[in-house]
Amino acid sequence: MAKSVTDAASPSVQTLLDLIAALRGKNGCPWDRKQTPGSLTVYLIEEMYELVEAVHADDTEGVLEELGDLLFQVLFITYMYAQEGRFSLEHVLGRIIKKMIHRHPHVFGDRKLENSEQVKRQWRRIKQQEKGTQASLLSSVPTGMPALMRAYRVSERAAGTGFDWDTLQGVMAQVEEEWKEFKAEVDQPQDLKDKDRIAMELGDVLFSLVNVARLAGVHPESALAKSTGKFIRRFKQMEGAAEVQDRSLEELPKEALEQLWQAAKKSTARKE
């Protein structure tokens, strides 16, 4: 099996499946043979984030590399279920093809839609019908999603029913109200502070900010990723400037750190 994989004339999905079979085979890799679908989910998520990072960086070679890594994890998990006789790659392909056709009647049927907002409303309606009339619109939002992405998806679906602010200014006013409530908890005397209440009020602020992003047409995950990347670039420049002085950031007083930060901001602003 292993030799046939290395001798394959051209790359294909089948070649990759054969490679996985070789890794899982009797004379295969001890590490790969002991994996389970559950153990691979960690690597699946890791590869997904690496792909997202490459896409955001517009790194063509990186995207090419990470797509391959992600595809490998998907096919590896598929292969293990096939080994157990639960389903095959053909079942996976058949299910997604059927689903996409069913959810795009404006492409594969006679229904006509004019814009992407109509498409999203139709998608949500069809998906809810598939899940059953008793299912909540929010039930299919995975609890394991990163909190920021999950908050965005939850608020987006709720807004799709008409339960939403009329204007961006309205939700911005809500943020100010939530901030006052958070500040009131933080300003409590030390003996009355309640960390659970503080956390809940901060969560309300963040959830409201997610809605600000949504109504402003910005995805909060992407916005935060860009701001975090900007901070990292500036912080690294601070580290470099301190190293030139033969010192570490930890050795510098706050005034010196602020000077380095302002210099880094000025320097990187021209590139961002």
Side-chain angles (χ1 to χ4, degrees):
M1 176 66 76
K3 190 173 188 302
S4 66
V5 170
T6 56
D7 291 344
S10 62
S12 67
V13 171
Q14 188 56 55
T15 304
L16 187 51
L17 287 172
D18 290 342
L19 184 149
I20 293 169
L23 293 174
R24 294 278 291 178
K26 183 178 179 181
N27 298 315
C29 171
W31 187 90
D32 289 293
R33 290 180 61 190
K34 75 174 186 178
Q35 297 310 306
T36 65
S39 69
L40 285 184
T41 55
V42 175
Y43 305 102
L44 181 70
I45 293 170
E46 182 179 321
E47 298 298 353
M48 178 190 68
Y49 279 120
E50 290 179 1
L51 172 60
V52 169
E53 183 175 348
V55 170
H56 284 168
D58 196 21
D59 177 2
T60 302
E61 284 300 315
V63 172
L64 175 62
E65 180 83 16
E66 300 306 336
L67 277 173
D69 291 345
L70 186 60
L71 179 61
F72 178 79
Q73 297 297 332
V74 170
L75 290 181
F76 203 146
I77 292 173
T78 302
Y79 180 84
M80 285 189 284
Y81 278 100
Q83 272 190 309
E84 297 177 7
R86 295 167 73 174
F87 58 76
S88 67
L89 178 59
E90 287 71 23
H91 290 116
V92 175
L93 295 174
R95 179 72 63 88
I96 189 60
I97 290 170
K98 181 179 179 181
K99 179 190 291 184
M100 289 301 106
I101 292 173
H102 185 237
R103 292 189 184 177
H104 290 83
H106 54 292
V107 176
F108 304 105
D110 298 329
R111 187 172 298 176
K112 301 298 180 185
L113 297 178
E114 297 179 359
N115 54 56
S116 60
E117 191 57 42
Q118 290 179 340
V119 172
K120 286 197 293 186
R121 286 199 296 268
Q122 173 184 260
W123 179 281
R124 288 191 291 263
R125 185 170 59 253
I126 293 174
K127 185 172 182 178
Q128 191 170 21
Q129 290 171 351
E130 291 172 349
K131 299 296 182 182
T133 55
Q134 298 303 314
S136 167
L137 191 65
L138 305 181
S139 295
S140 60
V141 180
T143 56
M145 287 178 75
L148 193 61
M149 294 179 66
R150 187 165 183 251
Y152 183 87
R153 189 65 68 206
V154 165
S155 65
E156 182 184 48
R157 292 193 182 179
T161 68
F163 185 64
D164 199 8
W165 285 268
D166 293 327
T167 65
L168 176 58
Q169 288 70 28
V171 69
M172 289 174 68
Q174 181 68 35
V175 171
E176 293 178 5
E177 185 62 32
E178 298 294 355
W179 181 257
K180 289 178 184 176
E181 294 180 10
F182 168 67
K183 191 173 182 302
E185 290 295 338
V186 171
D187 290 343
Q188 289 278 359
Q190 192 61 40
D191 59 332
L192 295 178
K193 284 187 188 295
D194 185 321
K195 285 188 176 181
D196 288 338
R197 286 207 303 268
I198 290 173
M200 181 61 71
E201 295 299 343
L202 180 58
D204 289 345
V205 172
L206 294 172
F207 190 81
S208 297
L209 283 171
V210 165
N211 283 282
V212 169
R214 179 175 56 79
L215 268 72
V218 176
H219 198 298
E221 186 75 20
S222 300
L224 184 57
K226 289 180 180 178
S227 288
T228 302
K230 179 172 65 176
F231 178 86
I232 290 171
R233 288 190 296 274
R234 291 176 177 178
F235 191 83
K236 285 181 176 178
Q237 186 156 326
M238 290 173 62
E239 290 175 317
E243 190 175 348
V244 169
Q245 302 174 27
D246 221 11
R247 303 178 73 180
S248 68
L249 294 181
E250 292 88 343
E251 299 174 287
L252 298 175
K254 285 190 177 295
E255 296 78 7
L257 290 173
E258 180 61 24
Q259 290 174 0
L260 289 180
W261 175 253
Q262 293 301 328
K265 282 179 64 177
K266 186 175 180 180
S267 174
T268 58
R270 291 190 288 268
K271 305 172 186 176
E272 295 168 346

